[in-house]
Structure formats: structure tokens, C-alpha cells
Amino acid sequence: MKPEQMSWISASLTVLDVQKALDFYCKHFHFALMDKAEDESNQLVYAGLSYRDQVIMLMKQGAYQIATQSPQTSKILSPVSLYVYCDDVDKLFQPATAQGVEVVMPPQDMFWGDRMAKLMDLDGYHSG
């Protein structure tokens, strides 16, 4: 049964450092921490994040014997990206890039009507 706070479909990203990824998504994309799990040495191995009515999960690479790797480790660009709507892409883009977030594509108007930008996170996933 789906927990009340979860969306019907949620992305799960394999990351190298859950705390750094958590900080990145909260700071630059305004996600909020929902829940987290630590291992026996008090290191974060999981974090659930929410943004408006959506949820993403961050899972530490290698935790719980999961074999998936982040794009940063595999050196393969992920075929999955996060398409995150926001109120003003330019307002989100400017402070993120001023703080060193990698730009894949600067803000531009798309033929289907969206204004979008693409940014790369610390683990090699891109938004947009």
C-alpha cells in the first residue's frame, strides 16, 4: 500500500554521498527532507525528499547490497533525468550557477512552450 506522503511514481537515485546530494537538492531545487536512514556508523544511506507533490529518493551507492552505480562512478550518462517544474527557471538558475552548479544548457524557451535549463548534480544526473 502506498504511504500517504509518497507520490504514485517516485525516482530513486543512486548517489555517492547521501548528505551532499540531500544538501544539493534542498539548496538548489528547494526540495524538503521527508525521512532518512543511517547505517550502523551513523552515515546516511537513504533520504526521501519532497518537492511540492513529488518525491525522489536518494540511495547510497552500495547500501543494502544494491549494485547500481551513480553516473559519476559508472562514467555513463544516465538515460534518466529529473524534469522539475518551478515558478521561475531564471531565478532558480542564477544562484545555482553562481555557486558552481554545472550548466548543461542555460535557460531557453522550448518549442513546446516551456522555458527550461539543464543542470548537472554532484552524481552526474541532469535536470531538464
Coordinates of all heavy atoms in Angstrom, one line a residue, residues 9-70:
I9 N 4.5 7.5 -8.5 CA 5.8 7.1 -9.1 C 6.9 8.1 -8.5 O 6.7 9.3 -8.6 CB 5.7 7.3 -10.6 CG1 4.6 6.3 -11.2 CG2 7.1 7.0 -11.3 CD1 4.4 6.5 -12.7
S10 N 7.9 7.5 -8.0 CA 9.0 8.2 -7.4 C 10.3 7.7 -8.0 O 10.6 6.5 -8.0 CB 9.0 8.1 -5.9 OG 7.8 8.5 -5.4
A11 N 11.2 8.7 -8.3 CA 12.5 8.3 -8.8 C 13.4 8.0 -7.6 O 13.3 8.6 -6.5 CB 13.1 9.5 -9.5
S12 N 14.3 7.0 -7.8 CA 15.3 6.7 -6.8 C 16.7 6.8 -7.5 O 16.9 6.2 -8.5 CB 15.1 5.2 -6.3 OG 16.1 4.9 -5.4
L13 N 17.5 7.7 -6.9 CA 18.8 8.0 -7.5 C 19.9 7.4 -6.6 O 19.9 7.5 -5.4 CB 19.0 9.5 -7.6 CG 18.0 10.3 -8.3 CD1 18.4 11.8 -8.3 CD2 17.9 9.9 -9.8
T14 N 20.8 6.6 -7.3 CA 22.0 6.1 -6.6 C 23.0 7.2 -6.5 O 23.4 7.8 -7.5 CB 22.5 4.9 -7.4 OG1 21.5 3.9 -7.4 CG2 23.8 4.3 -6.7
V15 N 23.5 7.5 -5.3 CA 24.4 8.6 -5.1 C 25.6 8.2 -4.3 O 25.5 7.2 -3.6 CB 23.7 9.8 -4.4 CG1 22.6 10.4 -5.2 CG2 23.2 9.5 -3.0
L16 N 26.7 8.9 -4.4 CA 27.9 8.6 -3.7 C 27.8 9.0 -2.2 O 28.3 8.3 -1.3 CB 29.1 9.2 -4.3 CG 29.5 8.7 -5.7 CD1 30.6 9.5 -6.4 CD2 29.9 7.2 -5.6
D17 N 27.3 10.2 -2.0 CA 27.2 10.7 -0.6 C 25.8 11.3 -0.4 O 25.4 12.3 -1.0 CB 28.2 11.8 -0.5 CG 28.3 12.4 0.9 OD1 27.3 12.7 1.5 OD2 29.5 12.5 1.4
V18 N 25.0 10.6 0.3 CA 23.6 11.0 0.5 C 23.5 12.4 1.1 O 22.7 13.2 0.7 CB 22.8 10.0 1.4 CG1 21.4 10.4 1.7 CG2 22.8 8.6 0.7
Q19 N 24.3 12.7 2.1 CA 24.2 14.0 2.7 C 24.5 15.2 1.7 O 23.8 16.2 1.7 CB 25.2 14.1 3.9 CG 25.1 15.5 4.7 CD 23.7 15.6 5.4 OE1 23.3 14.8 6.2 NE2 23.0 16.7 5.0
K20 N 25.6 15.0 0.9 CA 25.9 16.0 -0.1 C 24.8 16.1 -1.1 O 24.4 17.2 -1.5 CB 27.2 15.7 -0.8 CG 28.4 15.9 0.1 CD 29.7 15.7 -0.7 CE 30.9 15.9 0.2 NZ 32.2 15.6 -0.4
A21 N 24.2 15.0 -1.6 CA 23.1 15.0 -2.5 C 21.9 15.7 -1.9 O 21.2 16.5 -2.6 CB 22.8 13.6 -3.0
L22 N 21.6 15.4 -0.7 CA 20.5 16.0 0.1 C 20.7 17.5 0.1 O 19.7 18.3 -0.2 CB 20.4 15.4 1.5 CG 19.6 16.0 2.5 CD1 18.1 16.0 2.2 CD2 19.8 15.4 3.9
D23 N 21.8 17.9 0.5 CA 22.1 19.4 0.6 C 22.0 20.0 -0.7 O 21.4 21.1 -0.8 CB 23.5 19.6 1.2 CG 23.7 19.2 2.6 OD1 22.7 19.0 3.3 OD2 24.9 19.0 3.0
F24 N 22.4 19.4 -1.8 CA 22.4 19.9 -3.1 C 20.9 20.2 -3.6 O 20.5 21.2 -4.0 CB 23.1 19.0 -4.1 CG 23.0 19.4 -5.6 CD1 24.0 20.3 -6.1 CD2 22.0 19.0 -6.4 CE1 24.0 20.7 -7.4 CE2 21.9 19.4 -7.7 CZ 22.9 20.2 -8.2
Y25 N 20.1 19.1 -3.4 CA 18.7 19.2 -3.9 C 17.9 20.2 -3.0 O 17.0 20.9 -3.5 CB 18.0 17.8 -4.0 CG 18.4 17.1 -5.2 CD1 19.5 16.2 -5.2 CD2 17.8 17.4 -6.4 CE1 19.8 15.6 -6.4 CE2 18.1 16.7 -7.6 CZ 19.2 15.9 -7.6 OH 19.5 15.2 -8.7
C26 N 18.2 20.2 -1.8 CA 17.4 21.2 -0.9 C 17.8 22.6 -1.2 O 17.0 23.5 -1.3 CB 17.7 20.8 0.6 SG 16.9 19.3 1.1
K27 N 19.1 22.8 -1.4 CA 19.6 24.2 -1.6 C 19.3 24.7 -3.0 O 18.8 25.9 -3.1 CB 21.2 24.2 -1.4 CG 21.8 25.6 -1.6 CD 23.3 25.5 -1.3 CE 23.9 26.9 -1.4 NZ 25.3 26.8 -1.0
H28 N 19.5 24.0 -4.0 CA 19.4 24.5 -5.4 C 18.0 24.2 -6.0 O 17.6 25.0 -6.9 CB 20.4 23.9 -6.3 CG 21.8 24.3 -5.8 ND1 22.3 25.6 -5.7 CD2 22.8 23.5 -5.4 CE1 23.5 25.6 -5.3 NE2 23.9 24.3 -5.0
F29 N 17.3 23.2 -5.6 CA 16.0 22.9 -6.2 C 14.8 23.0 -5.2 O 13.7 22.7 -5.5 CB 16.0 21.5 -6.8 CG 16.8 21.5 -8.1 CD1 18.1 20.9 -8.0 CD2 16.4 21.9 -9.3 CE1 18.9 20.9 -9.1 CE2 17.2 21.9 -10.4 CZ 18.4 21.3 -10.3
H30 N 15.1 23.4 -3.9 CA 14.1 23.6 -2.9 C 13.3 22.4 -2.5 O 12.1 22.5 -2.1 CB 13.2 24.8 -3.3 CG 13.9 26.0 -3.8 ND1 14.6 26.8 -2.9 CD2 14.1 26.5 -5.0 CE1 15.2 27.8 -3.6 NE2 14.9 27.6 -4.9
F31 N 14.0 21.2 -2.6 CA 13.4 20.0 -2.0 C 13.4 20.1 -0.5 O 14.2 20.8 0.1 CB 14.1 18.8 -2.5 CG 13.8 18.3 -3.8 CD1 14.3 18.9 -5.0 CD2 13.0 17.2 -4.0 CE1 14.0 18.5 -6.3 CE2 12.6 16.7 -5.3 CZ 13.1 17.4 -6.4
A32 N 12.5 19.3 0.1 CA 12.5 19.2 1.6 C 12.7 17.8 2.0 O 12.2 16.9 1.4 CB 11.1 19.7 2.1
L33 N 13.5 17.6 3.1 CA 13.7 16.3 3.6 C 12.4 15.7 4.2 O 11.8 16.4 5.0 CB 14.8 16.3 4.7 CG 15.1 15.0 5.4 CD1 15.7 14.0 4.4 CD2 16.1 15.3 6.6
M34 N 12.1 14.5 3.8 CA 10.9 13.8 4.4 C 11.3 12.8 5.5 O 10.8 12.7 6.5 CB 10.2 13.1 3.3 CG 9.5 13.9 2.3 SD 8.8 13.0 0.9 CE 8.1 11.6 1.7
D35 N 12.3 12.0 5.1 CA 12.8 10.9 6.0 C 14.2 10.5 5.6 O 14.7 10.8 4.5 CB 11.9 9.7 6.1 CG 11.6 9.1 4.7 OD1 12.0 9.6 3.7 OD2 11.1 8.0 4.7
K36 N 14.9 9.8 6.5 CA 16.2 9.4 6.2 C 16.5 8.1 7.0 O 15.8 7.8 8.0 CB 17.2 10.5 6.6 CG 17.2 10.9 8.0 CD 18.2 12.0 8.3 CE 18.2 12.4 9.8 NZ 19.1 13.4 10.1
A37 N 17.6 7.4 6.6 CA 18.0 6.2 7.3 C 19.6 6.3 7.3 O 20.2 6.7 6.4 CB 17.6 5.0 6.6
E38 N 20.1 5.8 8.4 CA 21.6 5.8 8.6 C 22.0 4.3 8.8 O 21.2 3.5 9.3 CB 21.9 6.6 9.9 CG 21.6 8.1 9.7 CD 21.8 8.9 11.0 OE1 21.9 8.3 12.1 OE2 21.9 10.1 10.9
D39 N 23.3 4.1 8.5 CA 23.8 2.7 8.8 C 24.3 2.7 10.2 O 24.2 3.6 11.0 CB 24.9 2.4 7.8 CG 26.1 3.3 7.8 OD1 26.3 4.1 8.8 OD2 26.9 3.2 6.8
E40 N 25.0 1.6 10.6 CA 25.4 1.4 12.0 C 26.5 2.4 12.4 O 26.7 2.6 13.5 CB 25.9 -0.1 12.2 CG 26.9 -0.6 11.2 CD 26.4 -1.0 9.8 OE1 25.2 -1.2 9.7 OE2 27.2 -1.0 8.9
S41 N 27.2 3.0 11.4 CA 28.2 4.0 11.7 C 27.6 5.5 11.6 O 28.4 6.4 11.5 CB 29.4 3.9 10.8 OG 29.1 4.1 9.5
N42 N 26.3 5.6 11.6 CA 25.6 6.9 11.5 C 25.8 7.6 10.2 O 25.7 8.9 10.2 CB 25.9 7.7 12.8 CG 25.5 7.1 14.0 OD1 24.4 6.5 14.1 ND2 26.3 7.2 15.1
Q43 N 26.1 6.9 9.2 CA 26.3 7.6 7.9 C 24.9 7.4 7.1 O 24.3 6.4 7.2 CB 27.4 6.9 7.0 CG 28.7 7.0 7.6 CD 29.2 8.5 7.6 OE1 29.1 9.2 6.5 NE2 29.7 9.0 8.7
L44 N 24.5 8.5 6.5 CA 23.2 8.4 5.7 C 23.4 7.5 4.6 O 24.3 7.5 3.8 CB 22.9 9.8 5.2 CG 22.2 10.8 6.1 CD1 21.9 12.1 5.4 CD2 20.9 10.3 6.7
V45 N 22.4 6.6 4.5 CA 22.4 5.6 3.3 C 21.1 5.8 2.5 O 21.0 5.3 1.4 CB 22.5 4.2 3.8 CG1 23.8 3.9 4.4 CG2 21.4 3.8 4.8
Y46 N 20.2 6.6 3.0 CA 18.9 6.9 2.3 C 18.3 8.2 2.8 O 18.4 8.6 3.9 CB 17.9 5.8 2.6 CG 16.5 6.2 2.3 CD1 16.0 6.0 1.0 CD2 15.6 6.7 3.2 CE1 14.7 6.4 0.6 CE2 14.3 7.1 2.8 CZ 13.9 6.9 1.5 OH 12.6 7.3 1.1
A47 N 17.7 8.9 1.8 CA 17.0 10.1 2.2 C 15.8 10.2 1.2 O 15.9 10.0 0.0 CB 17.8 11.4 2.1
G48 N 14.6 10.5 1.7 CA 13.4 10.8 0.9 C 13.2 12.3 0.9 O 13.2 12.9 1.9
L49 N 13.1 12.8 -0.3 CA 12.9 14.3 -0.5 C 11.6 14.6 -1.2 O 11.2 13.8 -2.0 CB 14.0 14.9 -1.3 CG 15.5 14.6 -0.9 CD1 16.4 15.2 -1.9 CD2 15.7 15.1 0.5
S50 N 11.0 15.7 -0.8 CA 9.7 16.0 -1.5 C 9.9 17.4 -2.1 O 10.6 18.3 -1.6 CB 8.6 16.0 -0.5 OG 8.7 17.0 0.5
Y51 N 9.2 17.6 -3.2 CA 9.1 18.9 -3.9 C 7.7 19.0 -4.3 O 7.2 18.3 -5.2 CB 10.1 19.0 -5.1 CG 9.9 20.3 -5.8 CD1 10.5 21.5 -5.3 CD2 9.3 20.3 -7.1 CE1 10.4 22.6 -6.1 CE2 9.2 21.5 -7.8 CZ 9.7 22.6 -7.3 OH 9.6 23.8 -8.0
R52 N 6.9 19.9 -3.7 CA 5.5 20.1 -4.0 C 4.8 18.7 -3.8 O 4.8 18.2 -2.7 CB 5.3 20.7 -5.3 CG 5.9 22.1 -5.4 CD 5.6 22.9 -6.6 NE 6.2 24.2 -6.5 CZ 5.9 25.2 -7.3 NH1 5.1 25.0 -8.3 NH2 6.5 26.4 -7.1
D53 N 4.3 18.1 -4.8 CA 3.6 16.9 -4.7 C 4.4 15.7 -5.2 O 3.9 14.6 -5.4 CB 2.2 16.9 -5.4 CG 2.3 17.1 -6.9 OD1 3.4 17.5 -7.3 OD2 1.3 17.0 -7.5
Q54 N 5.7 15.8 -5.3 CA 6.5 14.7 -5.8 C 7.6 14.3 -4.8 O 8.0 15.1 -4.0 CB 7.2 15.2 -7.1 CG 6.3 15.4 -8.3 CD 5.4 14.2 -8.6 OE1 5.9 13.1 -8.9 NE2 4.1 14.4 -8.5
V55 N 8.1 13.1 -5.0 CA 9.1 12.6 -4.1 C 10.3 12.0 -4.9 O 10.0 11.4 -6.0 CB 8.5 11.4 -3.2 CG1 9.5 10.7 -2.4 CG2 7.4 12.0 -2.3
I56 N 11.5 12.2 -4.5 CA 12.6 11.5 -5.0 C 13.3 10.8 -3.8 O 13.3 11.3 -2.7 CB 13.6 12.3 -5.8 CG1 14.3 13.4 -5.0 CG2 13.0 12.8 -7.1 CD1 15.4 14.1 -5.7
M57 N 14.0 9.7 -4.1 CA 14.7 9.0 -3.0 C 16.2 9.0 -3.4 O 16.5 8.8 -4.6 CB 14.1 7.6 -2.8 CG 12.7 7.6 -2.4 SD 12.0 5.9 -2.4 CE 11.6 5.7 -4.1
L58 N 17.0 9.2 -2.4 CA 18.5 9.1 -2.6 C 19.0 7.9 -1.9 O 18.8 7.8 -0.7 CB 19.1 10.4 -2.1 CG 18.6 11.7 -2.6 CD1 19.3 12.9 -1.9 CD2 18.8 11.8 -4.1
M59 N 19.7 7.0 -2.6 CA 20.2 5.8 -2.0 C 21.7 5.8 -2.2 O 22.2 5.9 -3.3 CB 19.6 4.6 -2.7 CG 19.9 3.3 -2.1 SD 19.3 3.0 -0.5 CE 17.6 2.9 -0.8
K60 N 22.4 5.5 -1.1 CA 23.9 5.5 -1.2 C 24.3 4.3 -2.0 O 23.9 3.2 -1.8 CB 24.5 5.4 0.2 CG 26.0 5.4 0.2 CD 26.5 5.5 1.6 CE 28.0 5.3 1.7 NZ 28.8 6.2 0.8
Q61 N 25.2 4.6 -2.9 CA 25.8 3.5 -3.8 C 26.4 2.4 -2.9 O 27.1 2.7 -1.9 CB 26.9 4.1 -4.6 CG 27.6 3.2 -5.6 CD 28.5 3.9 -6.5 OE1 28.1 4.6 -7.3 NE2 29.8 3.7 -6.3
G62 N 26.0 1.2 -3.1 CA 26.5 0.0 -2.3 C 25.7 -0.3 -1.1 O 25.8 -1.4 -0.5
A63 N 24.8 0.6 -0.7 CA 24.0 0.3 0.5 C 23.0 -0.8 0.3 O 22.5 -1.0 -0.9 CB 23.2 1.6 1.0
Y64 N 22.8 -1.6 1.3 CA 21.8 -2.7 1.2 C 22.1 -3.7 0.1 O 21.3 -4.3 -0.5 CB 20.4 -2.2 1.0 CG 20.0 -1.2 2.1 CD1 19.7 0.1 1.7 CD2 19.8 -1.5 3.4 CE1 19.4 1.1 2.7 CE2 19.4 -0.6 4.4 CZ 19.2 0.7 4.0 OH 18.9 1.6 4.9
Q65 N 23.4 -3.8 -0.3 CA 23.9 -4.7 -1.3 C 23.3 -4.4 -2.7 O 23.2 -5.3 -3.5 CB 23.8 -6.2 -0.9 CG 24.7 -6.6 0.1 CD 24.0 -7.0 1.4 OE1 22.9 -7.4 1.4 NE2 24.8 -7.0 2.5
I66 N 22.9 -3.2 -2.9 CA 22.4 -2.8 -4.2 C 23.6 -2.5 -5.2 O 24.5 -1.8 -4.8 CB 21.4 -1.5 -4.1 CG1 20.2 -1.9 -3.2 CG2 21.0 -1.1 -5.5 CD1 19.4 -0.8 -2.8
A67 N 23.5 -3.1 -6.3 CA 24.7 -3.0 -7.2 C 24.7 -1.8 -8.2 O 25.6 -1.6 -8.9 CB 24.7 -4.3 -8.1
T68 N 23.6 -1.0 -8.2 CA 23.6 0.2 -9.1 C 24.7 1.2 -8.7 O 25.1 1.3 -7.6 CB 22.2 0.9 -9.1 OG1 22.0 1.3 -7.7 CG2 21.2 0.0 -9.6
Q69 N 25.2 1.9 -9.8 CA 26.2 2.9 -9.6 C 25.7 4.3 -10.1 O 24.8 4.3 -11.0 CB 27.4 2.6 -10.4 CG 28.1 1.3 -10.0 CD 29.3 1.0 -10.8 OE1 29.4 1.3 -12.0 NE2 30.4 0.5 -10.2
S70 N 26.2 5.3 -9.5 CA 25.9 6.6 -9.9 C 26.6 6.9 -11.3 O 27.6 6.2 -11.6 CB 26.3 7.7 -8.9 OG 27.7 7.9 -9.0

